[in-house]
Amino acid sequence: MPDFDPLRYAYPSHRNVVYARRAMACTSVPLGAELGLDVMRRGGNAVDAAVAMAAAMPLLEPTSNGVGSDCFALVWIEKDKRLYGLNASGAAPMALSPGVFREKGLTAVPRDGWLPTMTPGAPAGWAELNRRFGTRPLAELFAPAIAYAREGCPVPVEVGSHWGAAVRRFARASEQDAAPFRAWFKAFTKPDGAPYRAGDIFRWEDFADTLEELAATDCESLYRGALMEKLVAFSRATGGYFCEDDLRDYHPAWVEPITADYRGYTVCEIPPNGHGITALMALNILKGLELSGSRESADAYHKQLEAIKLAFEDAKAYVADPRYMRTKIADLLSEDYAARRRALIGERAILPTAGDPSSGGTVYLCTADPFGNMVSFIQSNYMGFGSGVVIPGTGISLQNRGANFSLDAESDNCVAGGKKSYHTIIPGFLMQGREAVGPFGVMGGFMQPQGHVQVIVNTVDYHMNPQECLDAPRMQWTGERHVQLEREVPPHIAAELARRGHEIEIINTNAAMGRGQIIWRTENGLLVGGTEPRCDGLAAAW
């Protein structure tokens, strides 16, 4: 057999945009995209495909999501000519409060163990999407993932590259208290304790059993059945905070998408507690500015960065569980407020602060079916494998979304029992008039709204095809005047941005720069898709 290194690529690769006449499925792992396309080939719709893919992704990309994840979705139903939003993010256990953290001497929510865990929302989200818009039973949609889990599936290159770092991370966390992490090591390391690597075969019997249980109960078992009892029992035995009512009382919520007009298009996002509003605020600022005719100019980079900085400072100050937000979403998205923020942008990098708007490691997937329906879907454990807590014998790895709570009592986002945290995962959708253009997303923590802005600017201002949009070098604002640029950004742009006052860091790994997928519908009714070159993505076409 040939001897090669799956992590070494000496020469640049090139991908073309992908066309399809009937259906398309895109995600970061090829098996996931093929699975979704197969659902639609057998008569299922875009929602069926998205649910099947979402149920498989904890197996295919466990470094980014799990059964204990949260999820959000934007669903375009062609016969209704309407976009629906679903918020399936969980809430903090009722037993949590700022006092719990003070008693432990903590000034911030940690990222590992029980403290940042919240009620898993994803399975309830799968069931709700299936109930309202699906055409196939969950048992049929989960069957491919169950088979892959029992037979084993190969670990993709990008997934394998993140697995080893997680083993080291949870080894350090377990030095303080090993009990919550033992099941993680049993599930996600080999018998000798080594991480799985690219090309290894990963089998996960517990995950298969749990998917069968979820399919048989329409996912009720995790909230009002045997899986819930196992989660609560393990929480009580190892220092967690869950009680039965934390899960029994949980239900996902249908929400009205929020929008912003951008140069003749309508950009759609899920409303808070997610920070999709950040992308909309930045685009509201940008649409009043003239961008350079070339995307590869310092002016184009500078104006996008300044708009993103101003929008992010507002999001960090005001976005929270909407039941606790004192600031109105309409005020944050108003034209007047955008104009006031836009006026702060000059030739040099500013040090951003929040304004006053008052007026008086995630997986992303998208699907499009032969019936005109489309789904933009995102699911995440937040930081890699999440909290490191796995419920023994179930394959349920819990997210650590609570790490985004504040412990400042004056903050709208201060931790409280039953409260949702500020959330980073955001599905996007683009429309023109009353017609759907299609779903898009760029996963990656606080890069996500920045990635959304760059995709829309690349599409609308610079007329890039979906693959070119995703191939384009990215930038990321990380705080104050600090900016990360991918090494593919031309050196003269980096130099000019530095002259304008930006503190430039050229990064040699693009792992933190987001991973995206796009499907657009063309004027002649074809589907055209692009997939992320920074991971193992695939745009599967029919």
Side-chain angles (χ1 to χ4, degrees):
M1 297 294 290
D3 182 21
F4 63 86
D5 181 355
L7 300 179
R8 180 176 179 269
Y9 298 88
Y11 311 107
S13 297
H14 175 76
R15 294 182 180 186
N16 290 329
V17 72
V18 175
Y19 285 97
R21 188 172 66 86
R22 305 191 71 177
M24 184 172 286
C26 303
T27 195
S28 49
V29 176
L31 280 176
E34 293 286 1
L35 186 155
L37 195 68
D38 187 56
V39 168
M40 292 186 284
R41 281 198 182 108
R42 291 185 284 108
N45 65 17
V47 174
D48 296 322
V51 170
M53 293 164 72
M57 292 306 286
L59 170 76
L60 302 179
E61 194 173 336
T63 51
S64 299
N65 74 130
V67 175
S69 284
D70 285 343
C71 71
F72 295 86
L74 289 167
V75 182
W76 174 262
I77 300 299
E78 179 67 16
K79 68 179 178 63
D80 298 344
K81 291 292 183 185
R82 181 178 170 187
L83 187 67
Y84 297 85
L86 181 70
N87 181 328
S89 63
M94 290 303 299
L96 273 190
S97 69
V100 171
F101 297 88
R102 286 195 299 269
E103 289 170 4
K104 296 178 180 296
L106 297 171
T107 57
V109 181
R111 64 178 188 169
D112 303 323
W114 281 110
L115 282 168
T117 60
M118 302 175 74
T119 299
W126 307 341
E128 184 62 19
L129 286 167
N130 180 256
R131 180 196 65 79
R132 187 165 187 180
F133 297 121
T135 68
R136 297 291 188 270
L138 290 181
E140 179 182 329
L141 299 179
F142 291 0
I146 292 167
Y148 277 135
R150 293 215 160 98
E151 296 166 5
C153 58
V155 174
V157 172
E158 188 68 21
V159 174
S161 68
H162 293 292
W163 215 304
V167 171
R168 294 188 292 274
R169 171 188 160 195
F170 294 126
R172 290 192 297 271
S174 63
E175 290 174 358
Q176 301 297 319
D177 181 7
F181 302 101
R182 289 193 186 106
W184 186 92
F185 283 97
K186 182 177 179 181
F188 295 120
T189 61
K190 299 175 186 177
D192 64 357
Y196 286 86
R197 296 181 172 86
D200 287 341
I201 300 298
F202 178 52
R203 294 180 179 85
W204 201 3
E205 194 70 35
D206 288 346
F207 176 78
D209 292 343
T210 287
L211 278 192
E212 286 184 336
E213 171 80 3
L214 291 172
T217 63
D218 285 334
C219 297
E220 282 290 292
S221 180
L222 181 55
Y223 302 94
R224 288 159 278 277
L227 290 174
M228 176 272 287
E229 292 171 358
K230 289 180 181 180
L231 190 157
V232 172
F234 185 61
S235 173
R236 286 178 174 144
T238 57
Y241 298 87
F242 284 103
C243 71
E244 289 83 355
D245 286 345
D246 290 321
L247 291 107
R248 287 175 182 153
D249 293 342
Y250 179 74
H251 298 279
W254 291 99
V255 296
E256 189 65 29
I258 55 175
T259 65
D261 293 329
Y262 186 74
R263 308 192 200 279
Y265 291 85
T266 302
V267 184
C268 310
E269 302 276 357
I270 293 283
N273 55 314
H275 64 175
I277 194 172
T278 310
L280 301 184
M281 288 190 289
L283 291 169
N284 271 345
I285 294 169
L286 279 172
K287 70 184 180 186
L289 299 173
E290 183 177 344
L291 294 181
S292 166
S294 169
R295 195 267 186 188
E296 294 308 321
S297 69
D299 182 68
Y301 279 74
H302 171 73
K303 288 174 178 174
Q304 289 179 74
L305 284 166
E306 295 300 279
I308 286 167
K309 287 157 63 172
L310 290 166
F312 239 128
E313 284 298 319
D314 284 335
K316 290 191 294 182
Y318 301 120
V319 169
D321 185 323
R323 297 171 297 173
Y324 295 80
M325 282 179 62
R326 290 168 287 188
T327 303
K328 296 178 181 178
I329 293 172
D331 290 346
L332 288 167
L333 293 176
S334 74
E335 297 294 336
D336 175 69
Y337 187 58
R340 283 186 277 141
R341 299 298 268 167
R342 187 184 305 125
L344 300 174
I345 297 177
E347 289 299 309
R348 292 192 59 78
I350 61 173
L351 194 63
T353 57
D356 180 5
S358 60
S359 58
T362 304
V363 296
Y364 175 78
L365 60 92
C366 50
T367 59
D369 67 25
F371 317 108
N373 307 309
M374 296 172 150
V375 178
S376 182
F377 183 97
I378 197 158
Q379 179 168 286
S380 176
N381 264 359
Y382 190 34
M383 296 177 181
F385 281 92
S387 64
V389 177
V390 171
I391 310 307
T394 69
I396 298 173
S397 60
L398 295 179
Q399 38 91 335
N400 62 341
R401 281 290 163 189
N404 273 335
F405 272 127
S406 169
L407 297 184
D408 179 359
E410 298 302 312
S411 170
D412 292 355
N413 188 42
C414 184
V415 65
K419 185 176 181 179
K420 296 175 184 283
S421 69
Y422 176 113
H423 225 290
T424 63
I425 62 173
I426 52 173
F429 202 91
L430 187 64
M431 297 177 63
Q432 191 170 30
R434 288 180 51 80
E435 297 299 322
V437 177
F440 71 96
V442 180
M443 59 189 119
F446 289 88
M447 177 63 194
Q448 293 188 47
Q450 304 189 55
H452 282 211
V453 169
Q454 292 171 59
V455 162
I456 295 301
V457 168
N458 289 346
T459 298
V460 176
D461 292 282
Y462 298 115
H463 310 291
M464 294 185 185
N465 68 55
Q467 190 59 54
E468 188 181 15
C469 275
L470 297 172
D471 290 346
R474 291 190 187 134
M475 54 188 161
Q476 180 174 196
W477 174 71
T478 58
E480 297 185 340
R481 294 189 179 90
H482 190 261
V483 173
Q484 293 180 335
L485 299 178
E486 289 188 308
R487 58 183 178 273
E488 291 82 6
V489 173
H492 73 275
I493 291 178
E496 175 60 25
L497 290 173
R499 282 192 289 272
R500 294 189 182 207
H502 298 279
E503 298 170 0
I504 300 299
E505 176 190 4
I506 306 298
I507 59 171
N508 289 315
T509 173
N510 48 29
M513 300 303 273
R515 296 172 294 152
Q517 316 290 332
I518 299 172
I519 301 175
W520 298 149
R521 182 186 292 158
T522 65
E523 288 186 4
N524 65 351
L526 290 179
L527 300 168
V528 57
T531 188
E532 183 58 66
R534 296 164 184 81
C535 65
D536 307 288
L538 176 69
W542 175 31

